[in-house]
Amino acid sequence: MASKSMRTFLQAMCLVASLSMAISDNYDDEIEVGFGHNYFNEIPDEDQPEDETPTPSPEPCKNTAFTKWDKLFTMLENSQMKENMLLQYTDDIIKVELQNLRGEMIQFVAQYGGSCASAVESSVRRAGTQAESRLQNALDRAREVSADRYEQHDAVLQQLLAVSVNQAAQLDRLEKGCLKSGAFKNIQTRHLMQDVTENGGKLEKSLETISSELQSIREQMSLYTRSAFANKLPSGCDTGLLFPTRSSTAHAEVSPQGLFRTNAVTICLWVKPTQVFNKTILFSYSTTGNAYELQLVLSGQSASFTVDGESHLVEASIAVQEGQWGHLCASWSSQQGLASLWVNGQQAASSPGVAEGHELRSKGSILLGQEYGRHYKHLSTPDTFDAELAFTGKMTGVNMWDRVLDPKEISQQARLDGAACGNRGNVVAWGVSDIQPKEGVKLLY
């Protein structure tokens, strides 16, 4: 259909060109136009009424002579008119042909579009199946290669053990030969020394090969250890809390082990912050009379412990790092108001006179990752907290005692590879006390 339209268009263009050439040939100075000699407006005699006398007919208009330019303009107007007619005819033909072509294309798409879509879908499905199969084959090969390498390493280690046993036996014989006297014993000793020297060269080469293999194994084990430790909770803890985002609602509520009224306290916990701003709440104990009875707060890399309000505090400058597990312990005694902060088992700060003579009230509420703030009067959980104070990261091993722990107990609590999670507090005991994650906080296992 497109070729037919093009052929029609070319024919029209050829016709226009030929007419233009014909007109240009007539644009000559010798053009003459013939007109009739006279133009008369006469009525024949038989058509005139009988009672009327014929009137003399007027003299006919004289024919005005046309100049050469008039003739030229007349022919130009005629040629322009013909050219416009041909162009209009050509445009109409092209429009009709394009409409026909559009109709045929729509019909073609309607007829074959469905089959093309199904073909594309099946091709994509086959490609996905093939890619999945290749990936599975690659994983199987990787497992096989890993198993072979472990077998080779095991064989090399067995060979090393056998060589070591052999060398030990030879050295034992050499030692016995040295302790005995006599020429025969000296000869035997020399033979033993020669065997040891020869086998020593072979052992040295074997040890070089084994050393390179062991270095490779050590690097792989280091990678495995770092990967496992990144997902492992510290100090033998089985569970933890994940605060995924800085939210105005995320927090965890802790129920103390019964009522308590004390003038001494120790709080310990493991924390792995994702990001810390100017003030981030880790632990908050509030009562109906005081929203800030106890608070353990992060500010950048620093940590502070407040008792009976922010005016009574002790602060450690470098306590935590983002993305790393750290252990914090805060202790306070009403006697002399001695407050201390411990970081990873070491005392980082201590200050006397902190809320001296103060006594902690009972029937309070403990929050992790937030504080009650202005809602402390009724200790009712508000719809939203202050998002700027929210904690993000992981937390585990939260324990609280109604006494001051000694340095040895605190250092045991801070052992990363230990089992301090089993040393639970008598006010808050991790793994025993009721801890309720709220609004997006997740419990880790």
Side-chain angles (χ1 to χ4, degrees):
M1 182 62 69
S3 61
K4 182 178 178 181
S5 301
M6 185 59 69
R7 191 182 305 111
T8 305
F9 177 74
L10 292 175
Q11 289 177 357
M13 293 303 296
C14 291
L15 181 59
V16 172
S18 61
L19 288 175
S20 300
M21 291 177 62
I23 292 172
S24 63
D25 291 340
N26 290 328
Y27 290 171
D28 210 353
D29 293 342
E30 300 299 330
I31 298 175
E32 294 184 0
V33 179
F35 300 93
H37 294 290
N38 295 313
Y39 293 91
F40 295 98
N41 187 13
E42 297 180 354
I43 300 176
D45 294 339
E46 58 271 12
D47 295 334
Q48 293 181 359
E50 295 180 355
D51 55 350
E52 291 183 3
T53 58
T55 57
S57 37
E59 187 175 342
C61 298
K62 295 183 180 180
N63 185 18
T64 304
F66 289 94
T67 63
K68 175 174 60 176
W69 296 106
D70 293 334
K71 299 175 184 179
L72 179 61
F73 290 150
T74 301
M75 286 186 290
L76 286 175
E77 290 176 356
N78 293 336
S79 64
Q80 185 67 34
M81 185 181 300
K82 292 178 181 179
E83 185 177 357
N84 291 337
M85 292 174 63
L86 289 174
L87 291 175
Q88 183 64 34
Y89 175 69
T90 304
D91 188 38
D92 293 341
I93 291 175
I94 293 174
K95 288 181 179 179
V96 172
E97 296 298 334
L98 288 177
Q99 290 177 356
N100 294 335
L101 179 60
R102 181 175 178 273
E104 292 181 359
M105 290 298 296
I106 293 174
Q107 183 179 1
F108 176 80
V109 171
Q111 183 178 359
Y112 298 102
S115 60
C116 291
S118 61
V120 170
E121 183 178 0
S122 61
S123 299
V124 171
R125 190 180 297 109
R126 286 196 302 271
T129 303
Q130 293 176 0
E132 184 178 359
S133 176
R134 291 178 181 175
L135 180 59
Q136 186 62 37
N137 293 336
L139 290 175
D140 294 339
R141 288 197 298 270
R143 293 192 185 99
E144 292 175 359
V145 171
S146 178
D148 293 340
R149 292 194 63 182
Y150 280 124
E151 291 179 358
Q152 293 176 1
H153 294 162
D154 186 59
V156 170
L157 291 175
Q158 292 295 333
Q159 183 181 2
L160 176 60
L161 180 61
V163 171
S164 300
V165 171
N166 187 21
Q167 292 299 318
Q170 292 181 1
L171 290 173
D172 185 57
R173 291 197 303 268
L174 178 61
E175 183 179 1
K176 292 179 180 178
C178 291
L179 294 176
K180 295 180 180 180
S181 59
F184 177 75
K185 300 298 186 291
N186 292 333
I187 294 173
Q188 186 179 8
T189 301
R190 284 197 297 270
H191 284 301
L192 288 174
M193 289 295 295
Q194 184 177 0
D195 292 340
V196 169
T197 304
E198 293 176 356
N199 291 327
K202 296 179 181 179
L203 178 62
E204 185 178 0
K205 294 180 180 179
S206 299
L207 287 176
E208 290 178 357
T209 304
I210 294 171
S211 177
S212 62
E213 295 289 339
L214 289 176
Q215 181 65 25
S216 177
I217 294 174
R218 189 180 296 108
E219 293 176 356
Q220 294 180 5
M221 291 300 295
S222 177
L223 291 176
Y224 296 153
T225 303
R226 288 198 297 269
S227 177
F229 180 73
N231 299 318
K232 182 182 177 182
L233 296 174
S235 195
C237 296
D238 296 329
T239 59
L241 293 175
L242 172 63
F243 298 77
T245 58
R246 184 177 295 275
S247 169
S248 61
T249 57
H251 66 285
E253 297 179 2
V254 182
S255 299
Q257 298 281 93
L259 301 178
F260 71 97
R261 189 179 186 92
T262 180
N263 54 8
V265 69
T266 301
I267 302 169
C268 292
L269 55 85
W270 285 94
V271 63
K272 183 180 180 181
T274 302
Q275 190 175 22
V276 179
F277 292 102
N278 292 333
K279 184 178 180 181
T280 299
I281 305 296
L282 295 179
F283 182 98
S284 176
Y285 175 66
S286 304
T287 62
T288 55
N290 189 354
Y292 308 102
E293 282 283 358
L294 296 173
Q295 277 197 339
L296 187 56
V297 181
L298 294 181
S299 179
Q301 292 185 347
S302 301
S304 59
F305 178 53
T306 65
V307 182
D308 192 25
E310 296 182 354
S311 59
H312 308 95
L313 61 85
V314 60
E315 184 176 8
S317 58
I318 301 177
V320 295
Q321 292 185 359
E322 294 178 354
Q324 296 184 12
W325 282 107
H327 187 262
L328 297 177
C329 274
S331 63
W332 168 81
S333 174
S334 176
Q335 185 179 3
Q336 297 181 356
L338 182 61
S340 301
L341 262 177
W342 299 72
V343 177
N344 297 326
Q346 302 293 326
Q347 185 173 352
S350 180
S351 177
V354 176
E356 185 177 355
H358 180 69
E359 186 177 26
L360 295 178
R361 300 179 182 180
S362 60
K363 297 182 181 180
S365 181
I366 298 175
L367 293 183
L368 300 180
Q370 264 296 352
E371 66 174 18
Y372 276 106
R374 65 179 183 275
H375 306 280
Y376 74 93
K377 292 184 179 180
H378 304 288
L379 294 183
S380 59
T381 304
D383 295 333
T384 59
F385 294 95
D386 189 351
E388 297 296 327
L389 305 179
F391 169 72
T392 57
K394 296 179 181 179
M395 188 183 299
T396 188
V398 181
N399 290 285
M400 180 177 175
W401 294 263
D402 58 357
R403 62 184 179 87
V404 175
L405 298 186
D406 58 47
K408 184 178 180 180
E409 290 177 304
I410 292 177
S411 63
Q412 289 178 352
Q413 288 282 328
R415 289 190 59 183
L416 188 65
D417 57 348
C421 246
N423 302 329
R424 298 179 175 91
N426 62 340
V427 178
V428 174
W430 184 258
V432 176
S433 298
D434 183 21
I435 299 178
Q436 298 181 5
K438 301 286 186 178
E439 303 297 334
V441 179
K442 300 178 181 179
L443 189 62
L444 301 176
Y445 296 95

